Amino acid sequence: MAIIVNLDARKDRNGKASISRLMEIVEQDLADTNDIILDRMHSEVDLIPTLARHLIAAGGKRLRPVLTLGAAKLCGYEGDRAKKLAACVEFIHTATLLHDDVVDESDLRRGNETANVLWGNQASVLVGDFLFSRSFQLMVEDGSLEVLAILSNASAVIAEGEVMQLMNVGDTNTTEDSYLKVISSKTAALFAAACEVGAVVAERPKTEARALESYGRNLGIAFQLVDDALDYSAEQQALGKSIGDDFREGKVTLPILLAFRRGNAEERAFWKRVVEDHDQQDDDLERAIEIINRHSALEDTIERARHYGAMAKDALGIFEDSEIKSALLEAVDFSIERAF
């Protein structure tokens, strides 16, 4: 079964950035990575590949493994190690998605029913564990203790971030620093590791590995900030995409934090009711969006994303100009321009 990869047009009609050039550069390596993913999903327990394939084959841009392949090419590496490690990164990501959907009690992902809806929470958690195990097998096969340290540490940090987020659910007293720590852990840690291992397999100097780690980490933070803004975006709703998932789950993301801090007593009482008490009515999401827009919380969330995006770009400054560097820089713009 082929894995579907969503290839964006290089520029849309409005001239926005895309990741198509990056995808084109790593196209063959990504195809090989997809073959590895399909092979390593195999199990004599039929439910495991069936459930894993449901999520892995559902589409998406494969941004994290693409970053591993792109980072390796930026460092001049052309071997097979990066392909296996890209598959490893995708397994870690997919495992976290399976676990997240159970924790969040999600019904849909990318417009499709989630695995926990189709096969139940127990199966989703256990298959997520299987994919984590496969990722560690790939790390061990690579044979590098440095790679093992980077990716295993990222796996632990991601889990810590998810627990921190769970602790912050429904807490309007959450600080922006605490929120940033959550997204740095649950999202940016894997972006950072995915990029850093590209330098490691190429046996490049520590300065280049640190630069790619910084690029990935700051890109990951920007990416998550934009995701959190999109959950309240009227444009997303106009495109028929689901909005309000974070709101319904009581997640205190930056748009809510900013709106709560800037709001009056009546608005803060609204947030406490819908987020802390989880007492939500049919028109509350619409009101939440209105309050968020009144206080420019989405615009300021995107502005923070631009800040981290600029730092991601700056991190690549030590590398010579090339087609792959240009594509990695454009990936930053794409991650932010999704908001418009």
Side-chain angles (χ1 to χ4, degrees), residues 6 20 26 41 53 68 78 83 92 102 111 115 118 145 150 152-153 158 176 185 253 256-257 318 334:
N6 183 0
S20 65
V26 303
M41 284 194 313
R53 189 177 291 112
T68 297
E78 296 293 343
K83 300 171 187 177
I92 293 171
V102 171
L118 295 173
L145 286 177
I150 291 167
S152 62
N153 179 69
I158 292 166
E176 187 169 340
S185 299
T253 56
I256 288 182
L257 287 177
I318 68 169
F334 161 78

Side-chain angles (χ1 to χ4, degrees), residues 204-241:
R204 301 302 299 166
K206 290 288 186 184
T207 53
E208 294 186 11
R210 285 195 293 266
L212 280 166
E213 191 277 343
S214 178
Y215 166 81
R217 174 165 37 83
N218 286 295
L219 172 58
I221 293 172
F223 189 91
Q224 188 61 54
L225 282 164
V226 172
D227 261 10
D228 291 346
L230 288 174
D231 199 57
Y232 296 95
S233 169
E235 291 186 24
Q236 286 287 98
Q237 190 173 32
L239 292 170
K241 297 181 180 180

Side-chain angles (χ1 to χ4, degrees), residues 68-79 82 198-199 201-204 208 212 319 322 324:
T68 297
L69 299 170
K73 283 191 177 296
L74 180 68
C75 293
Y77 181 78
E78 296 293 343
V201 297
E203 299 181 351
R204 301 302 299 166
E208 294 186 11
L212 280 166
F319 295 96
S322 63
I324 184 62

Side-chain angles (χ1 to χ4, degrees), residues 1 22 36 55 58 95 99 110 132 156 177 185 187 194 197 244 271 274 279 281 297 299 309 311 326:
M1 177 179 180
L22 179 57
I36 295 168
L55 185 55
H99 290 169
R110 300 189 189 116
F132 265 127
D177 284 345
S185 299
T187 301
V197 296
W271 291 120
V274 298
D279 176 14
Q281 300 170 9
E299 292 91 331
M311 290 197 292
S326 178

